[in-house]
């Protein structure tokens, strides 16, 4: 669905120059070594990992949830981890340095690569890389010019959830949260992030073909304005925006929300049994996360060992199951009994997902005659939509 | 003042209702800690002791508690020293710029936490080039804690007057001896109260903490925030909250006793 | 002994004593806080690289102009001010009778218990309390359930929910200084007023209120300032509402646009300076 573009490297190049010149002012540090390693040496003793909550669990939060201890015993690399709440917070933390490994979503990876904060990864050194689904490898959010910048971890779609008692007939289209949202005024919910504008764009791709949107992350002025207008209209029916899933689960269980975007794990956690999820006919946005290595990693060997370990079927299965997303390999499904619910390995299903990508001025769909609206503008527009 | 029985009753009722309202949400938290619902849904669908078992086994929560206590102690200690010095200066001396110093002390608590947070984050990382750590967190917390110590100490110094200190000096005691033997003993309970408030302020702070804590530094509020994003951890957090409220009664009660007794001897 | 000598040297030199006392606190607050704050405000006049989010030292007034001209910021500022003012008024109105009861009506033993009862909830973690309010305000929550027989419905998630939750969170911070204020009013004074023929109400208005005004204002500073900067509560119980804190947070946390975040910060900083300047004369800053 998404092809790596040659322009990526150009963009990365331009950005590195900017970063390097900034370093002189003392407001940034430039990466010195982004060459991939050629071999894995001895363990350095510790590895510092930055990840989404639930990605690096060592049993300290719940003794039964632990896949870090096995790694520590096997490699003698002690894991120190920090979690972050949004991709943007992660970017800020990576800038401040001190991490060897980061788990990054597609709306973060390109920024990390462009700012020289992560280095290329030599996947030949990783035993478990081969087993990973091909449709996750060498994508435009985890590679540049065919050079891999990390190992895919897990992926999922931003699905449509609805209350079966209220929303009837069962929806098959996103129009229940857009053009027909007023039917459920006050009980519609949406993901609270500028990246949600892409969900509106996915809808417009089908319903307003004249706009000519071919990629929801590459919107020119007119396309962007149409998406924003759609969301402003939607806002009148929205009860609340959600970003943490505790809030979302509670809202659907209590009936405060009856229809809106969700994740599969939220559906799995809802105990009242009156909700369903569907991947609507227009397709959906989603995420595919990547384990990356910091360009200034102090423990590159342990970092490689972690990347290999977390891609191994059992560890990958445990971690992705705990977080609630599809694993990255077929073999991992041997260790999970819910792969079907997540459509793991279903290439046809995966092809309907538009994975989060950072919107930048240079259109990611390859258009050269127009400028696309960048993420800073998306953020501004999102605030205006919320009013 | 002569209050009619009706007025007293009305005041009593208002107070009782207010306290009931203050404890109602906490009661909900208590119920949630025994609820089978993982998302704190109301009403609780069933009863379980699972969360209490898991909370008591959670080394993550315990470590976070340790970090919070250590940070709050260090921040309070710094605030105690700086707050006392400032209170002595402002209550005992006249000098130019007094108002400005007073404003300076109040500002960190008056400005929104997020402004303080991003300002300090920016200063530490880009201006000084320091990596965030537990030390940057302590510095940040101490900064907004000074005011509580200062205010308590200032009020006490003003109420106590300077007669005893003057007498001490007249009798030949030096500045430091006078402070040690006369001023400090009378200030002690105010410092306990101020220090306790500083401790509480630091202990539950989340916004400034988000922006100034380094890698691997997890205070209890940060731990709670992170666990709100993990599957089925919300009731465990409710357990921790219940334990905190119950345990906190002890230090508050002790400080209460100390201050009340001392205040009585000083001002009356 | 050196302390002796230092003492003898310092005793007649008041200026040196002041300098000795003030150097450490003023240096700390100046170096740590004022410099950081000033740097942030300067950042408001810089720009940011779109893709990498790096701050670039390139002078511009765009951010500040944007913040002061665009309707979005005006709307959100007014909404935030309204919420903060409502929270302050509610808290002060509740705190005055409660604090008065604690200080002047309750016996010494009850007073101790009341102070503990008011302070203990402060330890129950801000986040946990906000989530508890989320449960209370929900469509099938306790408020809706208890109000149903009277034909009342829960206000749900939105501005009203935010005002209720914030009033709840900051109430102890408002009660305590007002309680301390009442506590400082000598009983003798009240008796004298009564002896001179003033009735309860008059004593309260003419004698007590003027004396505790600084304490009330001190309490209001807590409620007002803490509400003005909040963004977490509004995210949990605010429905689609956003406040100034959210705008700052989104720009620094999500958009990585520190200059714009700094420019938006100018609004609450300005409001608080005006507020502090207005209450400065009352001596309230010393009763916090």
């Amino acid at each position: 669905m998404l092809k790596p573009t040659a322009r990526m490297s150009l963009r990365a190049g331009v950005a590195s120059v900017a970063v390097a010149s900034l370093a002189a002012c003392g407001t940034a540090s430039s990466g010195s070594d982004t060459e991939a390693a050629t071999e894995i040496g001895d363990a350095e003793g510790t590895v510092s990992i930055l990840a989404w909550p639930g990605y690096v669990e060592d049993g300290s939060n719940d003794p039964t949830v632990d896949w870090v201890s096995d790694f520590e015993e096997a490699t003698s690399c002690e894991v120190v981890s920090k979690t972050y709440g949004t991709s943007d917070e992660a970017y800020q933390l990576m800038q401040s340095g001190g991490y060897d490994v980061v788990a990054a979503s597609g709306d973060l990876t390109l920024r990390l690569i462009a700012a020289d904060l992560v280095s290329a990864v030599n996947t030949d050194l990783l035993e478990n890389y081969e087993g990973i689904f091909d449709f996750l490898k060498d994508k435009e959010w985890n590679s540049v010019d065919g050079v891999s910048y990390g190992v895919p971890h897990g992926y999922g779609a931003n699905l449509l959830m609805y209350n079966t008692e209220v929303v009837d007939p069962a929806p098959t289209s996103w129009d229940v949260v857009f053009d027909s949202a007023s039917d459920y005024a006050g009980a519609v919910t949406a993901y609270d992030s500028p990246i949600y504008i892409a969900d509106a764009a996915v809808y417009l791709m089908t319903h307003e073909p004249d706009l000519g949107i071919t990629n929801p992350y590459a919107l020119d002025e007119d396309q962007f304005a149409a998406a924003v207008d759609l969301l402003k209209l939607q806002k009148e029916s929205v009860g609340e925006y959600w970003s943490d899933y505790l809030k979302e689960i509670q809202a659907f269980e209590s009936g405060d929300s009856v229809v809106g975007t969700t994740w599969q794990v939220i559906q799995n956690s809802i105990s009242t049994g009156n909700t369903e999820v569907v991947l609507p006919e227009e397709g959906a946005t989603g995420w595919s996360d990547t384990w990356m290595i910091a360009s200034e990693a102090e423990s590159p060997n342990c970092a490689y060992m972690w990347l290999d370990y977390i891609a191994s079927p059992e560890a990958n299965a445990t971690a992705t199951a705990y977080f609630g997303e599809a694993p990255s390999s077929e073999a991992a499904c041997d260790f999970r009994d819910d792969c079907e619910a997540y459509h793991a390995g279903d290439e046809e299903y995966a092809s309907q997902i538009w994975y989060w990508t950072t919107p930048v001025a240079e259109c990611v769909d390859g258009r050269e005659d127009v400028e696309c609206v960048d993420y800073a503008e998306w953020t501004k527009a999102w605030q205006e939509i919320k009013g | 003042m002569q209050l009619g029985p009706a007025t007293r009753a009305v005041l009593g009722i208002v107070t009782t209702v207010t306290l009931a309202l203050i404890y109602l949400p906490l009661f909900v938290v208590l119920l949630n800690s025994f609820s089978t619902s993982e998302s704190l849904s109301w009403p609780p669908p069933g009863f379980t002791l699972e969360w209490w078992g898991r909370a008591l086994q959670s080394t993550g929560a315990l470590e976070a508690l340790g970090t919070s206590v250590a940070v709050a102690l260090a921040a309070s200690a710094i605030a105690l020293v700086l707050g006392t010095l400032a209170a002595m200066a402002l209550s005992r001396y006249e000098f130019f710029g007094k108002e400005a110093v007073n404003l300076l002390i109040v500002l960190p608590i008056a400005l929104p936490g997020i402004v303080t947070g991003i300002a300090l984050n920016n200063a530490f990382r880009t201006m000084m080039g320091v990596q965030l750590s537990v030390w940057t967190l302590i510095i940040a917390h101490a900064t907004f804690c000074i005011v509580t110590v200062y205010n308590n100490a200032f009020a006490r110094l003003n109420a106590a007057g300077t007669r005893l200190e003057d007498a001490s000096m007249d009798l030949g005691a030096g500045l430091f001896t006078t402070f040690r033997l006369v001023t400090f003993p009378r200030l002690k309970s105010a410092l306990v109260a101020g220090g306790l408030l500083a401790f509480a302020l630091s202990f539950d702070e989340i916004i400034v903490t988000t922006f100034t804590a380094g890698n691997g530094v997890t205070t209890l509020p940060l731990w709670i925030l992170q666990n709100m994003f993990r599957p089925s951890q919300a009731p465990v957090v409710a357990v921790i909250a219940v334990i905190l409220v119950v345990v906190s009664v002890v230090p508050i009660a002790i400080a209460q006793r100390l201050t009340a007794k001392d205040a009585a001897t000083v001002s009356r | 002994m050196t302390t002796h000598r230092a003492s003898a040297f310092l005793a007649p030199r008041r200026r040196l004593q002041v300098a000795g006392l003030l150097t450490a606190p003023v240096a700390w607050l100046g170096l740590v806080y004022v410099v950081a704050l000033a740097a942030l405000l300067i950042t408001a006049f810089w720009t940011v690289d779109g893709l990498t989010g790096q701050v670039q030292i390139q002078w511009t007034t765009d951010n500040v102009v944007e913040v002061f001209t665009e309707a979005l910021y005006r709307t959100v500022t007014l909404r935030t001010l309204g919420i903060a003012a409502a929270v302050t008024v509610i808290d002060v109105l509740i705190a005055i009778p409660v604090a008065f009861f604690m200080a002047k009506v309750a016996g010494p033993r009850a007073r101790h218990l009341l102070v503990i009862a008011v302070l203990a909830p402060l330890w129950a973690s801000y986040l946990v309390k906000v989530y508890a309010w989320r449960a209370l305000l929900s469509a099938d929550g306790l408020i809706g359930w208890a109000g149903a027989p009277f034909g009342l419905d829960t206000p749900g998630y939105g501005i009203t929910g935010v005002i209720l939750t914030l009033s709840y969170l900051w109430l102890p911070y408002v009660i305590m200084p007002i309680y301390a204020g009442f506590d400082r009013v000598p009983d003798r004074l009240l008796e004298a007023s009564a002896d001179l023929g003033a009735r309860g109400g008059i004593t309260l208005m003419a004698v007590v209120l003027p004396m505790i005004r600084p304490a009330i204002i001190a309490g209001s500073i807590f409620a007002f300032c803490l509400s003005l900067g909040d963004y977490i509560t509004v995210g949990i119980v605010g429905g689609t509402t956003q406040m100034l804190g959210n705008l700052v947070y989104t720009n620094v946390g999500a958009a990585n646009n520190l200059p714009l975040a700094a420019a938006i910060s100018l609004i609450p900083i300005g409001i608080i300076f005006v507020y502090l300047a207005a209450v400065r004369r009352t001596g309230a800053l010393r009763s916090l």
Side-chain angles (χ1 to χ4, degrees):
Chain A
M1 174 183 74
L2 300 169
K3 292 204 181 74
T5 82
R7 255 183 316 284
M8 226 23 255
S9 60
L10 178 69
R11 198 183 304 133
V14 170
S16 333
V17 172
V19 170
S21 60
L22 262 173
C25 313
T27 54
S29 61
S30 74
S32 48
D33 176 24
T34 52
E35 287 297 302
T38 50
E39 58 173 4
I40 303 181
D42 293 334
E44 292 91 348
T46 57
V47 57
S48 170
I49 303 178
L50 181 64
W52 289 102
Y55 269 31
V56 185
E57 292 292 322
D58 59 5
S60 62
N61 294 301
D62 183 346
T64 60
V65 180
D66 179 5
W67 52 89
V68 167
S69 300
D70 285 347
F71 170 76
E72 291 180 329
E73 275 163 34
T75 61
S76 62
C77 295
E78 195 198 328
V79 173
V80 182
S81 68
K82 183 172 172 91
T83 59
Y84 60 84
T86 62
S87 292
D88 309 289
E89 191 189 333
Y91 185 80
Q92 214 188 9
L93 289 167
M94 282 301 286
Q95 277 183 315
S96 62
Y99 302 96
D100 299 310
V101 175
V102 57
S105 295
D107 54 338
L108 169 64
T109 50
L110 293 187
R111 278 186 278 168
L112 291 176
I113 296 171
D116 255 356
L117 290 167
V118 290
S119 65
V121 170
N122 183 350
T123 53
D124 294 341
L125 299 175
L126 306 172
E127 277 176 37
N128 292 305
Y129 190 73
E130 211 188 332
I132 291 173
F133 295 127
D134 281 335
F135 62 82
L136 295 175
K137 290 181 187 169
D138 293 327
K139 292 300 174 188
E140 77 164 10
W141 61 88
N142 60 21
S143 68
V144 174
D145 286 344
V147 176
S148 173
Y149 271 82
V151 177
H153 175 66
Y155 67 101
N158 298 314
L159 300 164
L160 174 64
M161 177 179 266
Y162 58 97
N163 185 319
T164 49
E165 290 157 15
V166 182
V167 183
D168 191 54
T172 56
S173 159
W174 286 112
D175 66 357
V176 285
V177 297
F178 291 118
D179 286 330
S180 331
S182 52
D183 294 354
Y184 307 105
V188 174
T189 187
Y191 187 60
D192 190 2
S193 164
I195 208 76
Y196 183 70
I197 294 173
D199 287 54
V202 168
Y203 179 77
L204 291 175
M205 276 166 81
T206 309
H207 295 266
E208 301 270 349
D210 292 348
L211 286 167
I213 301 175
T214 57
N215 181 319
Y217 305 101
L219 304 176
D220 61 37
E221 292 283 345
D222 295 340
Q223 296 165 341
F224 186 73
V228 169
D229 285 344
L230 183 62
L231 290 170
K232 281 185 177 159
L233 199 67
Q234 180 199 39
K235 199 238 167 187
E236 291 167 16
S237 307
V238 170
E240 72 173 3
Y241 295 101
W242 66 278
S243 56
D244 65 293
Y245 62 65
L246 177 63
K247 213 174 127 175
E248 169 90 331
I249 293 170
Q250 204 186 33
F252 269 95
E253 286 190 344
S254 64
D256 286 306
S257 298
V258 299
V259 66
T261 46
T262 197
W263 298 331
Q264 182 68 43
V265 64
I266 292 173
Q267 165 69 3
N268 298 357
S269 308
I270 288 183
S271 52
T272 46
N274 58 355
T275 55
E276 277 296 337
V277 292
V278 60
L279 180 67
E281 61 205 17
E282 295 93 347
T285 57
W287 71 94
S288 169
D289 292 351
T290 308
W291 288 103
M292 309 180 98
I293 298 180
S295 52
E296 290 180 355
E298 282 168 20
S299 307
N301 298 327
C302 277
Y304 266 93
M305 290 175 199
W306 173 262
L307 258 60
D308 199 26
Y309 171 77
I310 200 68
S312 68
E314 190 173 358
N316 184 262
T318 320
T320 53
Y322 182 65
F323 186 79
E325 58 187 348
S328 63
S329 67
E330 195 63 57
C333 280
D334 296 342
F335 297 92
R336 281 178 68 167
D337 50 13
D338 56 352
C339 265
E340 213 161 305
Y342 290 97
H343 300 265
D346 181 345
E347 206 161 333
E348 149 88 44
Y349 182 89
S351 73
Q352 297 173 61
I353 304 173
W354 291 94
Y355 297 102
W356 281 345
T357 312
T358 311
V360 284
E362 225 162 322
C363 304
V364 285
D365 62 356
R367 281 184 294 171
E368 284 176 347
D369 51 336
V370 286
E371 249 200 15
C372 280
V373 181
D374 67 12
Y375 196 61
E377 291 298 319
W378 281 48
T379 312
K380 209 174 281 177
W382 183 244
Q383 291 178 341
E384 272 162 26
I385 290 164
K386 289 173 73 184
Chain B
M1 165 160 47
Q2 269 138 21
L3 289 171
T7 320
R8 285 172 174 269
V10 169
L11 286 170
I13 290 168
V14 170
T15 307
T16 315
V17 170
T18 305
L19 278 176
L21 288 177
I22 287 180
Y23 279 88
L24 181 71
L26 298 179
F27 180 67
V28 171
V29 173
L30 179 68
L31 282 184
N32 278 330
S33 74
F34 293 109
S35 164
T36 47
S37 164
E38 291 178 1
S39 61
L40 316 183
S41 291
W42 186 267
F47 175 87
T48 176
L49 284 173
E50 186 193 345
W51 316 118
W52 279 81
R54 280 191 21 201
L56 298 178
Q57 279 175 38
S58 169
T59 52
L62 210 63
E63 275 167 27
L65 180 66
T67 309
S68 274
V69 170
V71 168
L73 279 179
S76 311
I78 297 172
L80 275 171
V81 174
L82 298 179
T84 311
L85 287 173
M88 293 277 294
L90 271 80
S91 68
R92 293 287 185 260
Y93 301 89
E94 284 306 324
F95 56 91
F96 176 74
K98 224 172 153 172
E99 287 279 356
V101 174
N102 193 3
L103 182 69
L104 195 59
I105 294 166
V106 175
L107 214 48
I109 198 86
L111 288 186
I114 185 154
V115 174
T116 304
I118 60 176
L120 290 177
N121 177 292
N122 181 48
F124 287 137
R125 290 193 314 120
T126 50
M127 285 171 60
M128 302 184 213
V130 183
Q131 282 224 351
L132 297 182
S133 64
V134 72
W135 300 110
T136 52
L137 181 62
I138 290 172
I139 290 173
H141 278 201
T143 305
F144 63 72
C145 284
I146 295 175
V147 67
T148 63
V149 177
Y150 164 80
N151 280 318
N152 274 279
F154 184 86
R156 176 63 53 83
L157 287 169
N158 263 9
T162 57
R163 275 172 314 185
L164 281 180
E165 280 151 40
D166 293 344
S168 160
M169 301 281 275
D170 287 348
L171 292 172
L175 278 176
F176 297 104
T177 315
T178 302
F179 178 79
R180 190 161 52 85
L181 296 178
V182 180
T183 316
F184 183 72
R186 300 203 302 164
L187 200 55
K188 211 165 50 188
S189 64
L191 294 182
V192 170
L196 193 79
L197 259 176
F199 187 94
L201 212 55
S202 159
F203 192 80
D204 196 31
E205 213 290 331
I206 177 122
I207 297 175
V208 175
T209 311
T210 307
F211 288 96
T212 51
N215 180 18
V217 181
T218 310
T219 63
L220 201 60
L222 284 182
W223 184 87
I224 289 174
L225 186 66
Q226 287 165 10
N227 277 281
M228 290 293 190
F229 290 86
R230 279 197 181 84
S232 58
Q233 284 283 336
V236 177
V237 170
V239 175
I240 307 279
V242 171
I243 296 175
L244 283 179
V245 173
V246 174
V247 171
S248 73
V249 169
V250 179
I252 297 175
I254 294 173
Q256 216 354 68
R257 285 280 137 115
L258 268 172
T259 20
K261 209 160 61 186
D262 260 46
T265 56
V266 169
S267 62
R268 280 167 209 169
Chain C
M1 256 169 68
T2 46
T3 52
H4 234 105
R5 229 179 294 154
S7 192
F9 174 76
L10 280 172
R13 296 171 170 83
R14 306 272 297 175
R15 269 166 188 276
L16 265 183
Q17 291 172 20
V18 173
L21 289 169
L22 276 182
T23 306
V26 169
W28 179 287
L29 286 165
L31 287 180
V32 175
Y33 199 70
V34 176
V35 169
L37 208 57
L40 182 73
L41 298 186
I42 290 172
T43 313
F45 296 94
W46 290 349
T47 53
V48 73
D49 180 284
L51 183 66
T52 61
Q54 300 282 7
V55 174
Q56 290 175 320
I57 303 175
Q58 215 173 64
W59 295 91
T60 171
T61 51
D62 288 359
N63 295 313
V64 179
V65 169
E66 183 185 329
V67 164
F68 286 99
T69 52
E70 275 191 27
L72 168 72
Y73 300 103
R74 210 166 28 246
T75 319
V76 177
T77 301
L78 289 177
R79 181 187 302 141
T80 308
L81 268 179
I83 291 174
V87 169
T88 310
V89 170
I90 291 173
D91 274 352
V92 168
L93 286 182
I94 296 177
I96 290 177
V98 173
F100 185 79
F101 181 84
M102 286 165 67
K104 294 294 171 211
V105 180
R109 202 180 157 72
R111 186 182 307 171
H112 279 246
L113 291 175
L114 283 170
V115 170
I116 294 171
V118 169
L119 286 178
L122 284 182
W123 297 73
S125 178
Y126 167 94
L127 284 165
V128 172
K129 283 184 281 191
V130 179
Y131 267 97
W133 268 92
R134 188 174 160 80
L136 287 173
L137 290 165
S138 157
D140 62 355
L142 197 58
I143 295 178
W145 176 77
F150 310 99
L152 296 170
D153 197 14
T154 167
Y157 307 135
I159 291 182
T160 316
V162 173
I163 292 175
L164 286 174
T165 310
L166 289 176
S167 303
Y168 175 80
L169 287 174
W170 314 139
L171 184 60
Y173 290 106
V174 183
I175 292 181
M176 287 319 290
I178 298 182
Y179 161 73
F182 276 126
D183 202 35
R184 279 196 287 269
V185 176
D187 290 340
R188 293 189 300 265
L189 203 63
L190 304 180
E191 282 153 20
S193 170
D195 289 348
L196 293 171
R199 279 209 305 228
I202 294 173
T203 305
L204 200 65
M205 296 307 289
V207 180
V208 181
L209 272 187
M211 284 188 74
I212 60 151
R213 207 174 58 166
I216 293 176
I217 293 171
S220 81
I221 291 178
F222 270 114
F224 186 80
C225 297
L226 290 170
S227 303
L228 202 61
D230 191 89
Y231 66 95
I232 295 180
T233 298
V234 68
I236 297 172
V237 297
T240 61
T241 315
Q242 58 181 350
M243 291 170 66
L244 276 175
N246 298 78
L247 295 184
V248 178
Y249 182 75
T250 319
N251 273 296
V252 71
N256 247 307
N257 193 340
L258 187 62
L260 185 56
I264 302 170
S265 302
L266 289 171
I267 303 175
I269 292 176
I271 293 173
I272 292 202
F273 266 98
V274 169
Y275 192 75
L276 289 181
V279 302
R280 195 178 55 128
R281 298 258 163 244
T282 64
L285 302 190
R286 289 171 196 164
S287 319
L288 281 178

